[in-house]
Amino acid sequence: MNVVAVSTPLHPHWRWRIVNYSGETVEESEASFPTIRSAVAEGVKCLEHMNATDRSTRPALYGRPMSYPRTR
């Protein structure tokens, strides 16, 4: 899992999100932080406390994976 910092026009301060490898949000902070660094640091602390294992898989970049090579 990864910790990312997000900011939106409606909420200009930074918040952290814990996302799995599929890009789904697992947890998000309710508190806001003045800097990206402080938001990510708090998110990492939360992730370490969760001690969770991510069993998701990364999505394919270009649709279905090919089972055979294409030839012309």
Side-chain angles (χ1 to χ4, degrees), residues 1-6 15-21 23-31 33 39-40 42-52 54:
M1 287 194 259
N2 294 308
V3 177
V4 297
V6 294
R15 293 174 295 137
W16 55 260
R17 279 186 190 156
I18 297 174
V19 295
N20 63 17
Y21 293 127
E24 301 165 331
T25 300
V26 175
E27 192 160 338
E28 185 171 342
S29 67
E30 293 182 10
F33 303 88
V40 171
E42 286 299 315
V44 168
K45 287 179 187 177
C46 183
L47 179 59
E48 289 171 350
H49 184 0
M50 287 173 53
N51 196 21
D54 187 358

